[in-house]
């Protein structure tokens, strides 16, 4: 079980709901993924891209928990206001906090992120911050009231996987008891399995599933990869070596004179 903010989840796959070809395809993907949490952008859904109440009805019928996000926000004020609106719309204190600082990479503005996290935590929100793998930023987010961290693997929608293995390993080692969810940049199931093998607690995926030729099949593949990666982590994988070790012992080998 994965425990986040006193809520226990069986699935370690969180799924985004944007950019699917149709609501029907989204429903198939969520079911195939076995995800219990889906992210929804208040801004996107309010813009007319979705069919209003029909979309909410679909999400409710799936029986999943909604994690609203502040996607597209570039300032503390904008993010805080969006979070407050999301709490009213969805009736939840959960919020995936995004404060974007750079348009090309969608890298988070970590200074604004910490400030917004502090404000929202004081207002009773349970904040899931989209952040980098920076240890100092992580410390400040935890001090601001966050109890979960969501470091990026790579820029949002890039599909590049885990760009900074050293930084991500250091983050996992430095915060062994904090739930860490890889968010952004995951492109294929092997990326998700790698994140789980490194000891991360869950993975959030959107574009890699939504833009696949067959989203439901890809969602199922990600679910299997996350299960496999988690099992491998618990099994205790071997450490890599620079030199070879023969798998067959030399004892009993015939020696020719």
């Amino acid at each position: 079980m994965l425990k986040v903010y006193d809520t226990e989840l069986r699935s370690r796959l969180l799924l985004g709901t944007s950019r699917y070809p149709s609501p029907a395809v989204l429903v198939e993907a969520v079911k195939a993924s076995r995800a219990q949490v889906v992210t929804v952008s208040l801004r996107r859904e309010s813009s007319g891209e979705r069919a209003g109440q029909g979309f909410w009805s679909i999400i409710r019928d799936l029986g999943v928990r909604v994690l609203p996000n502040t996607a597209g926000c570039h300032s503390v004020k904008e993010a805080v206001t969006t979070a407050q609106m999301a709490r009213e719309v969805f009736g939840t204190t959960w919020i995936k906090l995004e404060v974007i600082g750079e348009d090309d990479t969608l890298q988070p503005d970590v200074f604004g992120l910490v400030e917004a996290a502090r404000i929202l935590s004081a207002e009773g929100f349970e904040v899931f911050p989209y952040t980098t793998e920076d240890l100092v930023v992580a410390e400040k987010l935890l001090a601001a009231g966050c109890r979960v961290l969501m470091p990026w693997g790579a820029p949002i929608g890039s599909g590049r996987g885990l760009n900074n293995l050293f930084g991500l390993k250091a983050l996992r080692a430095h915060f062994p008891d904090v739930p860490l969810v890889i968010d952004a940049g995951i492109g294929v199931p092997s990326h998700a399995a790698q994140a789980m093998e490194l000891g991360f607690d869950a993975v959030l995926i959107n574009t890699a599933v939504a833009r696949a030729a067959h989203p439901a099949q890809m969602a199922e593949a990600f679910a299997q990869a996350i299960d496999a990666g988690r099992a491998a982590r618990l099994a205790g994988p071997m450490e890599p070596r620079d030199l070879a070790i023969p798998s067959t012992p030399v004892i009993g080998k015939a020696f020719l004179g």
Side-chain angles (χ1 to χ4, degrees):
M1 285 283 190
L2 169 62
K3 190 172 184 178
V4 289
Y5 287 113
D6 301 321
T7 297
E8 291 188 341
L9 302 171
R10 294 185 304 277
S11 173
R12 293 174 181 268
L13 171 57
L14 287 69
L15 199 64
T17 58
S18 69
R19 306 186 70 186
Y20 287 83
S22 70
V25 172
L26 168 61
V27 168
E28 291 177 356
V30 173
K31 290 180 177 178
S33 73
R34 305 192 300 275
Q36 294 176 278
V37 177
V38 299
T39 62
V40 176
S41 168
L42 178 66
R43 169 175 297 195
R44 183 183 299 116
E45 305 309 333
S46 300
S47 69
E49 182 179 322
R50 298 294 187 189
Q53 292 301 315
F55 179 72
W56 309 138
S57 177
I58 289 171
I59 297 299
R60 284 193 297 270
D61 289 346
L62 285 170
V64 293
R65 180 154 187 163
V66 172
L67 174 59
N69 68 37
T70 62
C73 293
H74 286 73
S75 70
V76 172
K77 183 177 181 180
E78 191 178 16
V80 168
T81 301
T82 301
Q84 292 167 338
M85 293 170 62
R87 179 165 58 182
E88 295 299 319
V89 171
F90 298 106
T92 178
T93 56
W94 278 19
I95 191 72
K96 179 174 178 274
L97 181 61
E98 298 183 25
V99 182
I100 301 301
E102 205 281 321
D103 288 334
D104 291 330
T105 62
L106 299 179
Q107 180 170 332
D109 171 2
V110 295
F111 305 101
L113 181 67
V114 170
E115 183 180 349
R118 183 177 294 110
I119 293 170
L120 292 174
S121 294
E123 293 185 5
F125 281 89
E126 295 172 312
V127 180
F128 295 68
Y130 163 61
T131 184
T132 66
E133 65 277 15
D134 188 286
L135 297 179
V136 177
V137 175
E139 290 276 15
K140 292 186 180 298
L141 286 168
L142 294 174
C146 299
R147 290 163 52 193
V148 177
L149 298 175
M150 302 185 76
W152 66 347
I156 293 172
S158 67
R160 298 182 61 87
L162 307 182
N163 270 355
N164 184 359
L165 287 177
F166 175 81
L168 291 171
K169 288 179 180 179
L171 187 70
R172 177 70 286 174
H174 200 71
F175 302 102
D177 300 321
V178 176
L180 300 178
V181 182
I182 290 292
D183 176 17
I186 298 296
V188 290
S190 59
H191 295 159
Q194 183 182 31
M196 301 306 292
E197 289 169 2
L198 291 178
F200 285 84
D201 296 286
V203 177
L204 171 59
I205 302 162
N206 191 165
T207 308
V209 171
R211 289 311 190 191
H214 304 285
Q217 289 179 238
M218 186 62 77
E220 184 176 4
F222 270 108
Q224 294 172 352
I226 287 171
D227 287 346
R230 174 68 176 171
R233 174 71 178 188
L234 295 177
M238 65 175 287
E239 292 292 332
R241 293 172 52 91
D242 292 330
L243 300 177
I245 299 179
S247 57
T248 302
V250 296
I251 297 175
K253 178 181 177 181
F255 290 91
L256 299 178

